[in-house]
Structure formats: structure tokens, C-alpha cells
Amino acid sequence: MASSSFMATFTLAFLVLMSTTSAQLSTNFYSSSCPRLFSTVKSTVQSAIQKEARMGASLLRLHFHDCFVNGCDGSLLLDDTSSFTGEKNAAPNRNSARGFDVVDNIKSAVENVCPGVVSCADILAIAARDSVVTLGGPSWNVKLGRRDARTASQAAANNNIPPPTRNLNQLISTFSAVGLSTRDLVALSGSHTIGQARCTSFRPRIYNETNLDSSLAQTRRSNCPRTSGSGDNNLAPLDLQTPTSFDNNYFKNLIQNKGLLHSDQQLFNGGSTDSIVRAYSNSYNAFSSDFASAMIKMGDIKPLTGSSGEIRKNCRKTN
């Protein structure tokens, strides 16, 4: 009996421990401490996107690149210091991650209405949602209560953020490692219905791969020369038709072999995800619903909560 009682207590304690992290995040975390939070973030995000529509995709990407590196803890936002090398110059982010100045603007606006209360990690999560909504996509209830990391890891950023060269099995493994399913992978990849990619990201595909629409290849080659170092930063829309509208054209493009990145087309290339791509191409509602759910799950990746981390006054540096 004593053994049975011990096991029951141990199991309960284990379950409580396992659920603590996500339980500490809640959609009403700042309802008393910062009631104007959502309206403040939303207006700043809308203003930034009004100035440059691409910024919506850039802000969404910051949240993704933050969460995949040791959890959603705002570490991506930290500038390099004498004690650590930050993530901004990791291969997936260098000359690519952008929108840091907009995050600074959001943080300043939030600090004006409730100083020292809201984390930079939470600001990234809210800004990602508001960016999607502003560009015509779905909304979701953002879970909040994350705290900010006091350090960053360039090595982890280089290892954990999936590059556009990955094949399907590698992509599935990368997402599985942070608790995201294959369906989550496909839904979150649908964020490529907005935004631009640099020539360096798609050069190998447009010159070397055969599962690419020939007219698209020809179009992309016109502003992305074969020679490395030439036109590396030239941009192309990830979704040729509507790069500033959050819709399901991305999936329709994949079915026509018009995925710009190698990793995009891997989702529809005779593999296990073909059926999900078809479903999303046929139903925007199915895609948008799954995307919203996947964004909530991604936001749950290893947050710092309670007394861990800090609430940064400036998102670029620790207090």
C-alpha cells in the first residue's frame, strides 16, 4: 500500500511539474497589470505595416526564429556583448532577420503605458498575431506570461532554425524536436504566403532542381544570377501572386511546382505531406484554423516563467 501511495503521489507531482510551464502562460496574463497592452501593440504593428507591407512577414518570422532557439524567450533580440555572441548574426538571421527597430518602437509604446511589466518575448508573440491579422489572416488568443532570457546562443540558432536546404524528413525531425507535429510543420510553412526571400535562399533551386515550374525559374533567374556573391540580397516574393495577403496561394503554388524554396517544395513532392498541402490548397478555412492552432503550440515552446529570466527594459540588452 505504501508503495502504491508513493507512486500515486509521485505520478501526481510529475504531472503537475509537466503542466506547470504551459499553465503559467495565459491569455489574460496582463489583463490587470497592462490593460492597454493589446491596443498599444496593434496600433504600432499596423503603422509599421502601413509604411512597409513586408514588415508583417518580418515580424512573424522574428517570433518563429526566437521560439526555435531555446524557446520563446526573446533571446533573438539581444545584441552581442562581451560575454556572449548573440543570434542576430547566426546564418539564418544575418542580413535576413529584420524588424528589430519596429520591436523597439512597440516596446517603447508599451513601456509608456505600463513600465517594466511586459516581456519582449510576449511582445514578439503578440506582434506576430497582429501582423497576420493586419494582412488578412486569422486571429488567435495569444498566451502570455513569458519572461526574457539573459543570454543568447548563436550556435543554437545555427543548429535549430531549419535552413531552406532541408528535405522533408529533416524538416519533420526539426519540428518534432520542439514538440510540433507534421501538420504543424505544413501549416506554419504557410506563413510563406507572405514575405520575400533573398537570392541566396533560392539560388540552388532555380538553377539545379527539376521539380520547379520552368517559367518561374526563368523569372527568378532574371534577378538572381548563378554566380555566388552577385545579387545575393536581391529579393523575390515567396508567393508570386499575393505576397502581402495572408491567403492559401502558397499551397496552390506548391501543387504547380511553384514553391520558391527547396524546403517549400519538399512539402509537395510525392511524400507524406502531399495530402495536407492539397487540403489547404482547397480550403483556406482549414489552413487558417490549423495555422492559428500551430502558432499557439509554437508559442508554448520552453518559455521562461515565474522567477526565471527577467522583464527587459530594452529588448536589445539585459537589465
Side-chain angles (χ1 to χ4, degrees):
M1 284 295 291
S3 172
S4 167
S5 172
F6 169 79
M7 283 306 296
T9 304
F10 176 81
T11 302
L12 178 62
F14 179 75
L15 289 173
V16 168
L17 183 67
M18 289 296 289
S19 66
T20 299
T21 300
S22 58
Q24 286 177 315
L25 294 184
S26 69
T27 56
N28 61 358
F29 189 84
Y30 298 109
S31 57
S32 299
S33 58
C34 192
R36 292 167 59 191
L37 171 61
F38 289 123
S39 60
T40 303
V41 175
K42 184 178 181 179
S43 63
T44 313
V45 168
Q46 287 177 333
S47 175
I49 293 174
Q50 198 167 19
K51 288 177 188 166
E52 184 200 8
R54 181 189 174 204
M55 188 52 68
S58 298
L59 292 172
L60 174 58
R61 188 167 181 253
L62 287 182
H63 183 42
F64 174 84
H65 281 212
D66 181 40
C67 290
F68 265 64
V69 183
N70 299 326
C72 310
D73 60 3
S75 60
L76 171 61
L77 303 174
L78 289 171
D79 290 337
D80 293 356
T81 71
S82 56
S83 59
F84 67 83
T85 304
E87 298 163 22
K88 289 181 178 178
N89 284 309
N93 297 324
R94 188 172 55 249
N95 299 321
S96 173
R98 59 196 299 277
F100 298 110
D101 53 339
V102 175
V103 175
D104 292 339
N105 292 341
I106 299 169
K107 178 64 171 172
S108 295
V110 170
E111 286 294 302
N112 282 339
V113 296
C114 42
V117 172
V118 181
S119 68
C120 299
D122 278 346
I123 282 172
L124 283 183
I126 302 167
R129 188 271 310 274
D130 290 351
S131 293
V132 170
V133 172
T134 302
L135 294 174
S139 185
W140 59 92
N141 293 321
V142 180
K143 291 162 68 174
L144 300 166
R146 302 169 192 82
R147 289 168 65 85
D148 296 322
R150 292 191 173 98
T151 188
S153 173
Q154 188 173 108
N158 281 324
N159 292 329
N160 299 348
I161 298 171
T165 52
R166 289 268 165 96
N167 65 32
L168 181 58
N169 288 337
Q170 291 169 327
L171 291 168
I172 290 171
S173 295
T174 301
F175 277 67
S176 176
V178 292
L180 296 172
S181 69
T182 300
R183 182 170 287 272
D184 296 328
L185 157 66
V186 181
L188 290 171
S189 296
S191 62
H192 286 181
T193 189
I194 53 175
Q196 308 271 330
R198 294 163 66 233
C199 168
T200 51
S201 300
F202 58 85
R203 177 183 281 129
R205 174 153 165 75
I206 63 174
Y207 288 104
N208 303 327
E209 298 185 16
T210 55
N211 61 341
L212 173 63
D213 177 80
S214 57
S215 64
L216 179 61
Q218 190 173 355
T219 301
R220 293 284 72 92
R221 287 172 186 167
S222 67
N223 79 326
C224 183
R226 184 188 292 269
T227 309
S228 182
S230 176
D232 284 0
N233 292 320
N234 291 351
L235 299 172
L238 288 156
D239 166 14
L240 190 61
Q241 292 91 350
T242 53
T244 58
S245 293
F246 199 95
D247 53 31
N248 64 337
N249 274 339
Y250 168 80
F251 298 104
K252 295 177 182 178
N253 289 337
L254 295 185
I255 289 174
Q256 298 171 5
N257 280 344
K258 290 181 178 178
L260 182 62
L261 306 180
H262 172 81
S263 53
D264 288 331
Q265 199 58 56
Q266 283 290 297
L267 302 179
F268 192 83
N269 196 40
S272 60
T273 52
D274 282 15
S275 59
I276 305 173
V277 171
R278 283 195 189 279
Y280 291 163
S281 75
N282 289 327
S283 170
Y284 169 75
N285 288 339
F287 161 53
S288 62
S289 174
D290 283 357
F291 179 83
S293 298
M295 286 297 293
I296 294 170
K297 279 180 71 175
M298 187 180 79
D300 278 342
I301 299 173
K302 293 194 299 185
L304 296 173
T305 56
S307 58
S308 301
E310 64 181 15
I311 304 298
R312 278 183 228 144
K313 295 183 180 74
N314 178 338
C315 291
R316 293 175 182 266
K317 60 184 183 180
T318 57
N319 293 339

